[in-house]
Amino acid sequence: MGLGVSLPAMKRRWVTRASRASRASRASRVSVAVAVAAGLAMAGACGGSGGSGGGGDNISVGVLLPGGGASRFGQFDRPLIEKHLKRLCPHCPAASLAATGEPAVQRQQLEAMITRGVDVLIVAAIDPEALRSSVESAHQAGIPVVAYDRLAQGPISGYVTFDGATVGRLQGEALLTAMGAKARDGQIVMMNGATIDPNAGWFKRGSLSVLNGKVKIGKSYDTVGWRPENAYANMTGAIAALGAANIDGVLAANDSLAGAVIAALNASAVKPLPPVTGQDADLAAARRIVEGDQYMTVYKPYKPAADAAVEMALALGRDESVDSIATGTVDSVTTKDIPAVLLPSVSVTAGNIKDTLVKDGMYTIDQICTPKLRSACDKAGLTP
């Protein structure tokens, strides 16, 4: 995907309130699965504004996320989005929220929100290509879509994410640092994300910009669905093919994959563990880093992302420009010059957990430092 260097003047004309009101006629043509109704109901969300749109304090926002309460999106992004929406628009209806891990269900959830007549959507797409027709349906109904974290295809009106090239570079640089002298003649395994997620390719390109020519890549895998069980199977295969003694590092694209990689290494009795990267700053990953099983993670401060997404959504819901919010533009395979906010990320190792994750309030020292980890925490300077 391309990154623009300037912000084009935007004169996006959204349909009038009268045309927005025509959304209601779609209800008879949209069939929604029971799973969708359950997904929408679980959030206890209010209904939309019936397609009235435009009102400064009567904007209904639909939010679709790719994971439930146990995921990063459930733990951090969702509550931050809800809180900022309430702060900026206290009289707006509560956000309509839905979460799922299945692309087909997410499409149905999006269509359901169109039918309900939300004024604007914030969507973290599971499968950007599969969601394209639903994004087009939203556009036809006069509903702007803000892509969140992952860039869906179709007529997207705004995009908020972390710079994927930076994420990949941070991982590659940290891995080379951890490998030390072994990086010169060493061999690594790359455990990349899902091919349907454009971010996965972005991360991969960023890491390869650092690793190419510096280290040998013995095996490289694209992990179907970002599923840890697939990463576990792939890592087990890499150990069998390359030999445990010949794996000097693993670039794992996120913390879930890193956990699966480490489990596979432990199952094969690999000692000592090679350095393993990650991303998302999961609590389990923070603990593994303190313990020494995982070398690093990439911390992406979620509050600025959630704030920017809400601010974009409210501006679009009011038929306003997002020029003052966007920091640049991006291109998808279907849409050029999408106004975008690209946020920075931070590399986290045992040496700076206190100054990053703890300082920013992601986790407390007590959350990270279980009784089992007290000694390792003391060594890392994680004392109350």
Side-chain angles (χ1 to χ4, degrees):
M1 71 184 60
L3 295 180
V5 295
S6 64
L7 292 174
M10 291 200 326
K11 294 182 180 178
R12 300 183 182 273
R13 296 187 178 91
W14 299 109
V15 295
T16 63
R17 294 188 184 185
S19 63
R20 285 188 176 186
S22 68
R23 300 174 199 157
S25 66
R26 296 177 54 84
S28 61
R29 295 184 282 121
V30 180
S31 174
V32 182
V34 173
V36 181
L40 292 173
M42 73 172 185
C46 297
S49 59
S52 60
D57 287 330
N58 193 30
I59 298 170
S60 57
V61 181
V63 182
L64 290 98
L65 300 175
S71 71
R72 159 220 148 168
F73 291 96
Q75 291 184 66
F76 301 110
D77 300 82
R78 171 180 165 174
L80 287 168
I81 288 170
E82 291 179 296
K83 184 176 181 180
H84 199 51
L85 177 61
K86 187 67 174 177
R87 181 187 303 116
L88 295 186
C89 193
H91 300 297
C92 284
S96 297
L97 290 120
T100 181
E102 298 300 325
V105 174
Q106 189 175 57
R107 284 186 60 191
Q108 293 171 327
Q109 290 173 336
L110 199 158
E111 293 288 343
M113 288 189 178
I114 294 172
T115 301
R116 295 176 68 171
V118 299
D119 295 310
V120 63
L121 287 159
I122 297 172
V123 180
I126 299 167
D127 185 335
E129 184 177 2
L131 211 60
R132 176 177 175 177
S133 63
S134 297
V135 172
E136 290 170 344
S137 294
H139 181 71
Q140 290 165 8
I143 304 173
V145 177
V146 176
Y148 185 69
D149 192 69
R150 303 168 185 179
L151 183 56
Q153 294 184 18
I156 295 297
S157 302
Y159 181 35
V160 177
T161 193
F162 294 87
D163 189 323
T166 298
V167 171
R169 285 197 299 270
L170 289 175
Q171 291 174 325
E173 289 165 358
L175 187 60
L176 291 179
T177 297
M179 291 173 67
K182 288 186 177 180
R184 184 176 305 170
D185 300 310
Q187 180 171 240
I188 68 167
V189 173
M190 290 191 68
M191 201 65 63
N192 308 301
T195 54
I196 63 171
D197 182 351
N199 280 0
W202 205 3
F203 303 147
K204 183 178 179 179
R205 291 190 296 274
S207 61
L208 287 175
S209 72
V210 173
L211 297 173
N212 278 341
K214 299 285 183 62
V215 68
K216 179 181 178 182
I217 300 171
K219 290 286 184 180
S220 181
Y221 301 94
D222 295 321
T223 310
V224 177
W226 288 95
R227 295 189 180 97
E229 59 269 27
N230 294 329
Y232 183 95
N234 289 337
M235 192 64 212
T236 301
I239 295 168
L242 302 175
N246 298 316
I247 298 175
D248 300 302
V250 181
L251 191 138
N254 74 5
D255 290 334
S256 294
L257 303 187
V261 163
I262 291 166
L265 291 166
N266 285 330
S268 297
V270 176
K271 298 290 183 184
L273 291 173
V276 178
T277 70
Q279 178 188 177
D280 291 334
D282 291 350
L283 179 57
R287 290 170 176 166
R288 288 194 297 267
I289 289 170
V290 169
E291 193 169 15
D293 288 348
Q294 182 173 327
Y295 179 68
M296 66 84 72
T297 187
V298 176
Y299 167 43
K300 302 183 296 188
Y302 302 124
K303 187 178 184 300
D307 288 355
V310 168
E311 289 158 18
M312 271 195 167
L314 290 177
L316 291 165
R318 293 168 178 146
D319 298 334
E320 297 171 356
S321 169
V322 295
D323 283 358
S324 63
I325 302 168
T327 59
T329 62
V330 299
D331 298 337
S332 74
V333 297
T334 62
T335 309
K336 301 295 184 183
D337 296 327
I338 300 168
V341 175
L342 301 178
L343 297 162
S345 305
V346 180
S347 179
V348 174
T349 63
N352 68 343
I353 284 182
K354 188 172 184 179
D355 292 331
T356 52
L357 305 186
V358 175
K359 182 179 178 180
D360 284 6
M362 280 280 287
Y363 309 114
T364 65
I365 289 177
D366 285 340
Q367 285 177 303
I368 297 171
C369 297
T370 62
K372 176 186 173 184
L373 295 178
R374 284 299 175 188
S375 176
C377 281
D378 289 345
K379 184 176 179 181
L382 289 174
T383 53

